[in-house]
């Protein structure tokens, strides 16, 4: 096999894509964590959603047992992306800023690095109405509604202005950093 800097590793007529985050050690960006910790307003949440679009987040997968053999050992299992459902039935996809916050939530979970915008798009495609960032801390942020749209897309400055004005009265209540 040989290394191809543009496409990854080539061999036997197949190509493996180059890693999207080759130097990533799973550490959270301290500036992002500070932004999340200091979020107090709708504008702060919009800034977080915009910042997260081009940041590596960690989606998470866990092993789910499907069946047990006659001898009591695992027979079948699969990996599943983790989401949560609140009392109202709304589904939120979990994502983490670093392996420390992921491990705090569940040390058995496995990180799957992805761009924030791709995490949001995956959540929407899966029927989720929110992305929940760092559910176990250090600072939980819930992005839903128009804030989820901001994370999933690249709105223009004009579109962002409309989002700010249309969410000013409700986003602080429905998307607060402390909401489960």
């Amino acid at each position: 096999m040989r290394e191809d800097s543009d496409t990854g590793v080539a061999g036997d007529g197949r190509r493996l894509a180059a890693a999207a985050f080759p130097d990533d050690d799973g550490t959270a960006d301290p500036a992002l964590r500070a932004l999340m910790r200091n979020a107090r307003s709708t504008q702060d949440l919009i800034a977080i959603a915009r910042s997260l679009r081009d940041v590596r987040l960690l989606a998470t997968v866990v092993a789910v047992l499907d069946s047990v053999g006659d001898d009591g050992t695992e027979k079948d299992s699969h990996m599943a992306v983790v989401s949560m459902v609140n009392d109202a039935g709304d589904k939120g996809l979990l994502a983490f800023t670093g392996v420390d916050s992921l491990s705090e939530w569940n040390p058995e979970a496995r990180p799957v690095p992805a761009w924030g915008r791709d995490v949001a798009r995956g959540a929407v495609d899966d029927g989720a109405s929110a992305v929940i960032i760092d559910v176990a801390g250090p600072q939980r942020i819930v992005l839903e509604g128009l804030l989820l749209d901001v994370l999933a897309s690249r709105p223009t400055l004009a579109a962002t202005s409309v989002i700010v004005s249309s969410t000013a009265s409700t986003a602080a209540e429905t998307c607060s950093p402390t909401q489960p």
Side-chain angles (χ1 to χ4, degrees), residues 50-175:
R50 293 179 76 199
S51 296
L52 287 171
R53 283 194 302 244
D54 297 317
V55 167
R56 183 273 299 139
L57 290 176
L58 301 172
T60 183
V61 294
V62 294
V64 177
L65 182 63
D66 291 326
S67 62
V68 178
D70 292 336
D71 61 356
T73 61
E74 175 184 335
K75 183 176 177 183
D76 295 304
S77 65
H78 70 276
M79 300 301 284
V81 175
V82 179
S83 59
M84 298 179 89
V85 178
N86 68 14
D87 292 339
D90 300 321
K91 183 174 164 182
L93 182 74
L94 300 185
F96 299 86
T97 56
V99 291
D100 60 337
S101 56
L102 174 91
S103 296
E104 183 68 26
W105 169 72
N106 182 345
E108 306 269 323
R110 295 197 172 108
V112 178
W115 294 111
R117 64 184 173 269
D118 294 334
V119 169
R121 291 171 186 161
V124 171
D125 288 347
D126 193 40
S129 59
V131 171
I132 306 162
I133 311 291
D134 290 347
V135 67
Q139 177 62 55
R140 179 179 52 213
I141 297 287
V142 177
L143 299 174
E144 60 186 343
L146 292 172
L147 293 171
L148 182 59
D149 293 341
V150 169
L151 177 58
S153 65
R154 294 186 176 273
T156 64
L157 183 57
T160 303
S161 298
V162 170
I163 290 168
V164 170
S165 63
S166 68
T167 60
S169 63
T170 59
E173 295 167 10
T174 62
C175 299

Side-chain angles (χ1 to χ4, degrees), residues 17-37:
F21 309 97
D23 299 322
D24 185 16
D25 65 359
T27 303
D29 178 351
L32 175 61
R33 287 255 176 104
L35 184 65
M36 291 171 60
R37 187 174 44 254

